[in-house]
Amino acid sequence: MHEMSLAEGVLQLIEDAARKDPFKKVTAVWLEIGQLAGVEPEAMAFCFDAVTRGTVAEGARLKIIALPGQGWCAACARTVPMTELFAECPLCGGFPLQVTAGTELRVKELEVS
């Protein structure tokens, strides 16, 4: 389950922020996850809860913001929605689509006290 290593990376970012701008507790984390990032939101939430035990982020609410996938179709010269990697263009059936959005995984915001 690669979500565990991703959650550990998120925790590392939080701990780095706590050293840089001292705070005692993280109460909420907003995490942007692209639809094409290959990350299961439920698994990420489970892993985040597990890796934050005993840390400054223990008990923090994880708010997941889902970002849609998008790609550029060279065949019809349009930006189109994508729900999976290596998909055909939903407008013209052309291949390949160049992914332009939806692979993100980033901490957008922290709520701290």
Side-chain angles (χ1 to χ4, degrees):
M1 173 184 310
H2 76 284
E3 284 84 353
M4 185 63 77
S5 63
L6 294 173
E8 289 170 343
V10 169
L11 177 60
Q12 184 64 52
L13 290 172
I14 293 168
E15 290 174 338
D16 290 348
R19 280 189 291 277
K20 187 174 161 185
D21 184 22
F23 49 82
K24 295 182 189 267
K25 183 88 173 131
V26 176
T27 55
V29 177
W30 282 263
L31 189 62
E32 293 179 328
I33 301 177
Q35 186 175 17
L36 305 174
V39 177
E40 282 294 322
E42 297 81 18
M44 186 65 175
F46 176 82
C47 293
F48 180 80
D49 185 52
V51 302
T52 57
R53 289 187 189 130
T55 72
V56 68
E58 182 172 13
R61 294 180 322 273
L62 182 63
K63 306 285 188 166
I64 295 177
I65 302 163
L67 301 175
Q70 279 189 337
W72 173 256
C73 177
C76 66
R78 292 185 158 188
T79 298
V80 296
M82 290 182 70
T83 57
E84 59 183 302
L85 294 172
F86 311 111
E88 66 182 30
C89 175
L91 301 178
C92 74
F95 281 101
L97 294 177
Q98 180 181 353
V99 177
T100 58
T103 59
E104 303 89 338
L105 173 62
R106 76 178 135 239
V107 176
K108 179 177 173 63
E109 188 176 341
L110 298 176
E111 183 179 282
V112 300
S113 59

